[in-house]
C-alpha cells in the first residue's frame, strides 16, 4: 500500500474517478458473483452486504451503491476489503484446483481482463486523487509516464483498399471487438509519432484556447465554462509550464508525447495543424506500421457497434454494449495498461471531455 | 400569421426551441449579412442592432444574443421583424435584378436552403410552444402529421458490396454530404415500413420504460431522471393514450408512423424487437428501394465528417463541421420539411435525447 | 398599452419577474374567484381554464401554472385578458350595485390592495423586461424615478422607551401589520436622508466589491458567484457610470437616492460607514420625524410574525404568513407604489439578494 | 479512535458535514495561528501547508481549501494530524508555563470554546457519516441520545414585562450574546416539555407531509423537492418506524424527545397544533422555569445582531457577525454539547432546512 495512505483509497474527487478501495472490492466481487456463487458448490459468501457495495452497473445483479457515492463508503475499512480479496483468491484456488466448468473458465478469463482494466483505472484514479491535493505529493520519484519517441516524424502511407477490422483468432477479446468485418478505406497517411508537448505548446502560444475557430461548438463551450487553458495537470508558474505526474511536479519536456487532453483538444489541435485525427479503422489498418502503446490515442470514431455485434446473455452482456452512445473511441494503450492487455483491435472509449486517462493523439491526413 | 398570436412568436419553453420571431429575423439576417452587406453596393443596413440579435452562432460575425435568452427578446416587436423581412426582400430583388456576383449567387442558394431548414424549425417550434399551453390549442384542425403506410411490412434485401455514399452531381448539397466516397457494406435487410404507434404501444405494454435491459446506460438514466413513460406529446387519459398534434389532442392511431421519439427510445425499441437501426450508409444504399420522407429516421451512425470533408472558409464554414460530435444522424424528411429540400444523401443530426422534431425509426437486421 | 408592445407583456427573464399579462389576469382572477364566484349569484365564469392559469400560489384553490412557466403562457393572447378584465369589472359593477355582503366588501378591499401591489410589480417587472433588452429602450423619457432630497443630512434622535408597533385604527391594513403591540427600544439615531448614489460610488471606489470584510459571508459568496460590481441597472461606460431607468440610459446623478441594491449591499455599505441599518421597529417609531416614501428601505429585521399575529381562515390566509421565513423587511414606499397604498406600519419583504424593486437604505446608529 | 476507522475521518457526504480529520486539524490550527504564531516567541510552525488546509473561513488569514473539498483531502494522513495536535498541545504547555500575555489568554478561552463547538460537530458529523453507510453501523451500543422527560406537560406562565436579554457577568460568552439589553414582552406561556416522537408521529399520521397548509411556502417546496416524509434518520420498515442513532438502528420510542427536524418541520408541527414556537427572547426570559439542555430548540427568531452588538477587530471578528442573515436561532444544548459549554443566553444558529444537529422543539402560545 505504501506510499499511499488509507485515505488515498477512499476519495472520489469527481464522479468519473472511483476510490481505489472500491476498485479492489469490485474486481473481487466480480469473481465472487459470476464464478464462486454460481459454480463453486457450497461457497460461503464473504459478506452479504458486499453485493450492494461493490456492484458497478450490472442492473441484473440487484441494487447498487450510486456511482457518485463511492467516496462516502467509509465502511468496510480498507483492511476488510483486503481480507475479502484474500478469501476470494483462496476460494478461487480451491475451485480451480478441482474440475472447473468451461463456462466458469471463460468467465475467469473475462474476470482477469476486467481486473486489468481496473488496474489501469486504479493507477489513473490514484493520480487524480494525488493531483487534487494542495501540495503535489509524489507517488514514486522515478516513475516515468512515457518515453520520448526519438525518431523523425514521417507519414505512413496506406493505400486505398478493403481492410479486415476487428478481432479474430485465438486468445481473449472483448465482445465489442467483433465481429470481424471488412471496410473499404480511401488512401490515407498517418504519422509515425505521437504529438508532443512541444507541438501542443506552440498551439497554446498561438491562441489555442482563445480562438473558437479550431473547436467544435460544444468543445468551445466546454473551454469557456471550465476556463480550460492547458491540458489536465499542467500549471503555469513563473519559470514556465509544469505538469503534475506520478513523480511529482515536473517541468514540461517538449519532446515527450502529449498526455491528458480531451477529444475536443485533440480535434482542435488537428484543425490548427490543418490535419485530422484518424478513424479507428484507419488506425487499425495501419497499426503494424508504427509503434503504439504508450498513449491512448483519440480517434475520430464514435463508439458504436460493429456489424454483427452480439452481446452476451445476462449480466455479462451489460459489459460493453450499453455504453455505445455519446463516447469516442481511443486506440492503443498507456503506461498504466497492464502488459499484454491491449491489442491493435482493442476499443477503449470515453466521453469527449474526459482527460484523466493518459490520452494523446496521432495525426492523419 | 393567424391562427397564431403575437405571443406565440416570442416564447422559448426549452433552449432547443427558438421563438418563431427569432427564426424570421435570423433567416432575413443571413441574406443581409452574407449577401447584401458584402455584395450590394451602397446597401443601407436596416438596423445596426439586428446583427447582435439575429446572429445564431457565427462567432466570426461578432457577438450575439445568448441562445437561451431569445425568449426574452421583446424588442423589436414582431411587426418590425416583418418590416425587416420586406426591406431585405426588396433589396435582394434590386440586387438580383442587376448583375450579381457568382459567389453571391452561391450564398443565395445556401441562404435559401438555410431558410428551408428554419421553415421546418418554425413549424416544430410552434408545435412545441402550443404543446406547453395548458389546454391543447389547435393550430389547424385538418392538419395531418403523417400518412398511414398501408402496405405489408417486408424486408428489403441488400447484398454485400461496395456502395457510393455522399452527394455528387448537379444541384445544391450541404458540405457535410461530401465528399462522395465508397464504403463496403456486409449484406443486410431493411424494412419497407416505418415503425407504427401500435408497435410502440406493444413495447410500452411490455414494460419498455420499466426495464433497463433494452436501454443504453445513459438512455436509462434519461428515462429515470425525466420520468419518461411515452413518446413526446403523448398523454394517458381515462379512455386511452392521446397525443398532441397540430390538429389538437387526438386519440393515438395505431397504424400511423410513430413520431417524437429520442434516439434512446429508437434503440431500445429495436433491442426489444431483437433487431437494430440501420447505419446511415445502409439507409442511403437502400434508399431507392423503399418510400421515405415523412419522418426523420434515427440511424445508428454518429454525426462525423466523411472522408475528404472540407469546410468552407470564413463564417459559412461554421455551418456544419463544428457540430460533428455527440450527435446522431437522421435520414429522410418530415411533414415539416419543405418540398424538395431533402434528398437521400441529406444528413440531419440531433442529440440523442431530443424529441421535438418529427422523429421515427425504420428497423434493419 | 403604448409604448409597450404585446411581447413586452409576455417575457419572464427571471423567475421573480412575472409577465405583465399574468399580472393583469391574476388581479382579475382574484376578484372573480374570491368575490364573484362565491357571492354573485348566477355568475358565469369567463373561462374555466383561467383558474389554473392565473392562480398565483393559493394551494387551496387548486392546481396552478408553475411560477417559472409564466413566460411561456402565450395563450390566451393579451387582448383576451383585457376582455376578461372588462367582463369582471362589469360584473363587479352589477354585483356592487345590488346589496353586497359584508364579507364580500372586505374581500373587495383586500382585492383592491392586492391589485395595488401588483400595479407596483407591473411597473418594476416592465422595467426589468426592458432592462434586459440589448439596446436600452425608453419607456417614458420624462419619467423620474426619484426626487433629490435637498436638505442637510441630520440625525434624528429617538429616546429609549416603549413604543407601539403595528397597525391599529380605521382603514385597511394587511394581517402582517398586526397585532399592535409594545416594544422597548434603546435610544438610537436615524438619518433624515436616504443614502445617495454619490455616497455609494465612494464606497465602490473604496473597494466595496473587492473587500470581504464589509459583507455577510453569504453576501460575499453572492458577489463572487454573480460577479456583482455595482447596483442593478448600472453599467460602466467610457465616460462614467450610467444606469438604466424607465427614461432610458442616464448618467448617474450623485445627489439622487440610491436604488436597486440588495440587502447584502445595504448591509455592506453600512459596515463600511461604521453605522448600521435600523430595525423595522426603530424605523416605525421614528417614521413621523423624517420624510419617507420614495424608496423601499431595507431594515435589519427579518420578516416574522408579530406577537398575536393571526392569519385568516381559508385561501386568503395564505396571503402573508407562509412567506415568514428567510426574507428581510423593507419599510417605506417607492415611485412605483400607488398613492396611498403604503403607510408607516406597512411591511414589505423580499429575499436578501433581490434588487429589481426600487430598494434603497437609510442609516441608523 | 476506535470504533471509528481512518476512513470515517475523511468522508464529507454533504457540504455541511466536515470530515472529522478536518475538525481535528482546524481546532489545532486555531491555537497555532491565533496564539502560538503571534505570541510564542521562536515558535516553529509545524507545517506551512496547514494554514491553507485547516483555515475554515477566516478570509483575513489567507487563502483556504474550499469548504466542499474537505472530503478529498487525503493528505496529510490522519496520524499526521494527531502529531500536529500533540505538537501544538506541547507548545501551548510551554507557552502557558511562561508568562503568557493577557490577550493570548483571552484567545485561549475563545479557542477552547471554539474547540467545544467543534467537539459537538465532530460527533454530529460522525453520526451523519455513519448514517449514510449502507448497513447501519453502530458507534456505541449503549449510547443514549436523549432522556425521556417523564413529567406532566404544563404551561409555564410568563407575565408581560421588561426582561433583560443577553449575557452579562463573569465568565466567557460569545460576542453575539451581547450587548445585554431590555425587551418588552407581552404575556405568554411556554411548555415545560419538549415535543416527543409520539406527538410528531401523530402529526405524520394526520398528513403532515401531504398538506401544504401547515407549511411555509419555501418549507413546502423543500418537502416536495426532497421527498421529505419524516425527520432525518427515520426509516419506515415493515414493523414500523425506526431511526438511526449512534447506537444503531432502533425502534422509535414515542416518549423520547423528537430530534433531527428542520425549522420548517418545527413550524409546521406548531401550526398543526394551533400553537407556535417561542421567540428567542421568550425562551431566555422563561429559561429558568423549565429543564433544558438535551436538544437544540428551534425558536421563531432570525439570527440578527442584538442592539449594541460589536464585533472584534481582525480575524476573530469574523467569528459570528458575518453569519447574521438567513439563519434561525436555536436555544438550549444537546447530548453532543460539551458539559458547561452552553448557557441560557447562548445563541446557536442554522439555516432553516438543516437537520443533522440534534434539533427539536418546545411549544409556546
Amino acid at each position: 500500500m505504501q506510499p499511499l495512505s488509507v485515505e488515498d483509497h477512499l476519495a472520489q474527487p469527481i464522479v468519473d474517478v472511483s476510490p481505489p478501495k472500491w476498485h479492489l472490492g469490485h474486481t473481487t466481487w466480480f469473481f465472487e458473483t459470476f464464478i464462486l456463487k454460481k459454480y463453486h458448490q457450497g461457497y460461503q459468501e464473504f459478506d452479504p452486504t458486499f453485493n450492494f457495495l461493490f456492484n458497478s452497473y450490472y442492473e441484473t445483479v440487484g441494487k447498487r451503491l450510486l456511482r457518485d457515492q463511492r467516496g462516502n463508503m467509509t465502511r468496510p475499512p480498507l483492511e476488510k476489503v483486503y481480507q475479502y480479496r484474500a478469501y476470494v483468491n483462496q476460494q478461487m484456488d480451491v475451485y480451480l484446483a478441482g474440475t472447473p466448468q468451461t463456462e466458469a473458465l471463460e468467465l475467469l478469463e473475462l474476470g482477469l481482463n476486467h481486473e486489468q482494466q481496473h488496474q489501469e483505472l486504479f493507477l489513473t484514479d490514484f493520480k487524480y486523487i494525488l493531483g487534487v491535493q494542495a501540495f503535489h505529493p509524489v507517488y514514486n520519484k522515478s516513475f516515468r509516464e512515457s518515453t520520448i519517441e526519438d525518431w523523425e516524424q514521417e507519414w505512413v502511407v496506406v493505400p486505398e483498399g478493403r481492410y479486415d477490422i476487428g478481432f479474430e483468432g485465438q486468445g481473449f477479446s472483448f465482445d465489442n471487438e467483433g465481429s470481424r468485418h471488412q471496410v473499404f478505406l480511401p488512401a490515407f497517411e498517418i504519422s509515425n509519432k505521437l504529438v508532443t508537448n512541444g507541438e501542443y505548446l506552440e498551439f497554446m502560444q498561438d491562441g489555442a484556447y482563445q480562438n473558437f475557430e479550431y473547436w467544435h461548438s460544444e468543445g468551445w463551450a466546454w473551454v469557456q465554462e471550465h476556463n480550460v487553458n492547458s491540458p489536465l495537470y499542467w500549471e503555469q508558474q513563473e519559470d514556465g509550464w509544469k505538469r503534475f505526474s506520478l513523480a511529482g511536479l515536473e517541468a514540461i519536456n517538449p519532446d515527450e508525447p502529449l498526455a491528458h487532453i480531451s477529444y475536443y483538444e485533440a480535434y482542435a489541435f488537428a484543425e490548427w495543424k490543418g490535419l485530422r485525427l484518424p478513424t479507428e479503422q484507419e488506425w487499425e489498418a495501419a497499426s503494424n506500421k508504427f509503434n503504439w502503446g504508450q498513449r491512448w490515442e483519440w480517434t475520430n470514431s464514435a463508439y458504436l457497434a460493429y456489424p454483427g455485434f452480439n452481446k452476451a446473455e445476462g449480466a455479462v452482456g451489460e459489459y460493453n454494449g450499453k455504453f455505445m452512445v455519446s463516447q469516442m473511441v481511443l486506440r492503443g494503450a498507456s503506461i498504466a495498461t497492464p502488459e499484454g492487455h491491449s491489442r491493435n483491435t482493442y476499443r477503449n472509449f470515453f466521453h469527449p471531455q474526459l482527460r484523466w486517462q493518459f490520452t494523446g493523439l496521432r495525426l492523419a491526413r
Side-chain angles (χ1 to χ4, degrees), chain A residues 163-177:
Chain A
Y163 291 88
D164 290 316
I165 297 295
F167 185 83
E168 200 176 57
Q170 305 291 354
F172 177 81
S173 71
F174 282 107
D175 57 358
N176 64 7
E177 297 172 58

Side-chain angles (χ1 to χ4, degrees), chain A residues 241-306:
Chain A
W241 281 98
K242 302 289 167 63
R243 63 115 189 235
F244 175 74
S245 82
L246 287 165
L249 199 71
E250 299 177 324
I252 296 287
N253 181 335
D255 296 327
E256 266 190 272
L258 172 67
H260 295 301
I261 55 163
S262 66
Y263 170 74
Y264 300 133
E265 288 164 301
Y267 172 89
F269 178 83
E271 283 287 300
W272 173 72
K273 275 286 198 190
L275 300 167
R276 63 176 179 83
L277 306 184
T279 65
E280 63 170 323
Q281 289 82 10
E282 290 173 335
W283 191 96
E284 186 171 328
S287 59
N288 58 351
K289 300 184 181 160
F290 54 77
N291 283 295
W292 59 265
Q294 62 168 328
R295 278 292 173 271
W296 289 108
E297 305 175 24
W298 286 108
T299 72
N300 211 42
S301 296
Y303 181 51
L304 292 165
Y306 279 168

Side-chain angles (χ1 to χ4, degrees), chain A residues 191-240:
Chain A
S191 177
N192 69 337
K193 281 188 74 168
L194 293 167
V195 169
T196 63
N197 288 332
E199 292 174 283
Y200 200 82
L201 267 169
E202 273 181 65
F203 176 41
M204 285 166 61
Q205 281 149 11
D206 197 35
Y209 295 100
Q210 288 80 50
N211 192 336
F212 70 88
E213 71 182 290
Y214 307 123
W215 298 83
H216 285 111
S217 182
E218 78 176 43
W220 182 240
W222 171 81
V223 164
Q224 297 191 299
E225 184 182 344
H226 301 281
N227 294 312
V228 182
N229 68 349
S230 72
L232 183 64
Y233 295 126
W234 288 33
E235 55 183 81
Q236 196 167 21
Q237 298 197 336
E238 284 185 12
D239 55 343

Side-chain angles (χ1 to χ4, degrees), chain A residues 1 37 44-46 49 75 86 92 104 141 143 145 166 203 208 217 227 241 245 268 287 300 302 327 360:
Chain A
M1 196 178 88
K37 286 166 79 171
Q44 289 289 324
E45 195 173 7
F46 182 76
T49 67
R75 307 295 181 100
M92 284 295 295
K141 266 225 158 89
F143 195 97
E145 294 184 351
F203 176 41
S217 182
N227 294 312
W241 281 98
S245 82
S287 59
N300 211 42
Q327 310 208 40

Side-chain angles (χ1 to χ4, degrees), chain A residues 7-22:
Chain A
E7 289 105 316
D8 288 334
H9 288 73
L10 178 61
Q12 184 180 36
I14 56 170
V15 68
D16 309 285
V17 163
S18 288
K21 182 168 81 174
W22 186 88

